């Protein structure tokens, strides 16, 4: 490799490391938002819920910054093969993190409504467990990205089935509560939307894991990932 080529390669690595540092910062903010949104619901803490809602702006700003920096990196360095694959994957990871942040914000929005209603027994703690499962998946997916570990990413991908199963169980429980007492209907509907938001988060974490596999191997997983949500075919996104 000529000196000029070495300089370009080093400059590319430096720029990419800076972008990945922003990804990790964004991931940390999103992980905290997931846990805080669930905690605000479980403890009926409207102040914490408001902090989650307000904090989404920082996640959005990081997404914009990462998109600008990756576009500039492609234009200036003109990466090919593995390097281009990495940059494109990073852009998609950022986009998925931004969407997860939106779902956390939507969860927090419902806290203020639910604190005015009677608690549904076991509902808040079940939602918190589901949120914690997704947060750990996200942490592992981001670790897999930094470590270039497709096996860990595949493990995360498979774990989404657990999230789907948790959602299905909650869905059935909420239906039971609504049938037993019509006064539970409104609270259960809000909790259902929150559980659905967390299930969607799991889908986006899975998409991040798949980008890590693509980044590491050059191919997206050939097998369709297991899908355990049989309660809805809705694909419109945020409720």
């Amino acid at each position: 490799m000529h000196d000029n080529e070495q300089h370009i390669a080093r400059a590319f690595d430096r720029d990419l490391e800076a972008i990945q540092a922003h990804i990790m910062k964004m991931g940390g903010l999103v992980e905290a938002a997931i846990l805080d949104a669930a905690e605000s619901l479980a403890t009926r803490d409207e102040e914490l819920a408001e902090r989650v809602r307000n904090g989404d702006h920082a996640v959005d700003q990081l997404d914009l910054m990462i998109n600008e920096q990756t576009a500039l990196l492609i234009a200036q360095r003109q990466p090919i093969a593995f390097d281009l694959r990495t940059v494109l994957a990073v852009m998609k990871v950022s986009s998925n993190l931004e969407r997860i942040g939106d779902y956390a914000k939507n969860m927090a929005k419902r806290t203020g409504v639910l604190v005015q209603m009677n608690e549904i027994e076991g509902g808040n703690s079940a939602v918190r467990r589901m949120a914690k499962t997704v947060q750990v998946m996200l942490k592992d997916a981001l670790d897999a990205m930094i470590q270039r570990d497709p096996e860990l990413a595949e493990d995360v991908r498979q774990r989404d089935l657990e999230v789907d199963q948790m959602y299905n169980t909650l869905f059935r429980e909420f239906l039971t509560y609504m049938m037993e007492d019509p006064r539970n209907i409104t609270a259960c509907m809000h909790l259902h939307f929150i559980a659905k938001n967390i299930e969607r988060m799991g889908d986006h974490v899975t998409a991040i894991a798949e980008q890590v596999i693509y980044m590491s191997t050059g191919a997206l997983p050939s097998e369709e990932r297991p899908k355990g949500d049989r309660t809805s075919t809705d694909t419109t996104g945020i409720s």
Side-chain angles (χ1 to χ4, degrees):
M1 184 182 287
H2 298 301
D3 289 344
N4 188 48
E5 290 175 332
Q6 286 180 328
H7 172 75
I8 292 171
R10 283 197 298 270
F12 173 85
D13 289 340
R14 218 169 32 243
D15 291 346
L16 184 61
E17 283 176 10
I19 293 169
Q20 287 184 326
H22 289 314
I23 286 279
M24 291 302 112
K25 181 178 179 181
M26 190 179 179
L29 291 175
V30 171
E31 283 184 50
I34 295 169
L35 295 180
D36 287 346
E39 181 69 15
S40 73
L41 176 67
T43 60
R44 302 169 85 82
D45 188 338
E46 293 184 77
E47 194 176 309
L48 180 58
E50 186 177 1
R51 288 203 297 273
V52 173
R53 295 194 298 270
N54 293 338
D56 189 56
H57 178 69
V59 174
D60 291 342
Q61 289 302 111
L62 279 167
D63 182 47
L64 287 172
M65 184 189 302
I66 290 164
N67 278 328
E68 289 170 359
Q69 290 180 349
T70 49
L72 190 62
L73 182 60
I74 291 171
Q76 288 182 336
R77 309 300 181 200
Q78 299 181 354
I80 58 172
F82 172 77
D83 288 341
L84 180 59
R85 195 166 75 222
T86 301
V87 175
L88 295 176
V90 164
M91 290 179 73
K92 290 182 179 178
V93 168
S94 177
S95 175
N96 279 288
L97 284 172
E98 190 273 333
R99 295 294 288 160
I100 296 169
D102 283 345
Y103 284 120
K105 179 178 69 175
N106 273 21
M107 283 174 61
K109 283 180 179 177
R110 294 185 187 269
T111 293
V113 178
L114 281 164
V115 295
Q116 310 300 325
M117 303 175 186
N118 290 331
E119 283 193 58
I120 301 300
E121 185 181 352
N124 292 346
S125 58
V127 163
R128 185 157 55 176
R129 282 195 302 274
M130 191 176 171
K132 178 62 178 175
T133 300
V134 170
Q135 179 264 324
V136 172
M137 284 173 59
L138 177 55
K139 179 184 181 299
D140 287 347
L142 294 172
D143 284 348
M145 177 180 167
I146 293 299
Q147 297 162 14
R148 297 290 191 272
D149 186 344
E151 290 184 4
L152 178 57
E154 179 60 28
D155 179 62
V156 171
R157 186 171 173 265
Q158 296 299 322
R159 268 185 266 162
D160 189 47
L161 179 61
E162 180 185 351
V163 176
D164 291 340
Q165 289 170 339
M166 292 171 85
Y167 169 74
N168 290 340
T169 299
L170 279 176
F171 180 79
R172 289 192 296 270
E173 287 178 0
F174 293 149
L175 280 180
T176 301
Y177 280 124
M178 288 189 283
M179 287 187 291
E180 286 177 350
D181 188 343
R183 290 172 296 183
N184 291 331
I185 289 175
T186 303
C188 283
M189 287 299 293
H190 282 291
L191 285 169
H192 168 252
F193 282 127
I194 287 172
K196 190 63 180 175
N197 279 353
I198 300 172
E199 187 269 334
R200 293 274 190 240
M201 287 181 192
D203 290 341
H204 284 284
V205 174
T206 302
I208 290 172
E210 289 174 348
Q211 286 304 315
V212 172
I213 294 169
Y214 171 68
M215 188 191 303
S216 304
T217 67
L220 287 168
S222 56
E223 294 180 8
E224 186 176 343
R225 65 187 175 86
K227 197 76 185 105
D229 174 17
R230 302 302 179 202
T231 64
S232 171
T233 55
D234 171 43
T235 57
T236 56
I238 295 174
S239 300

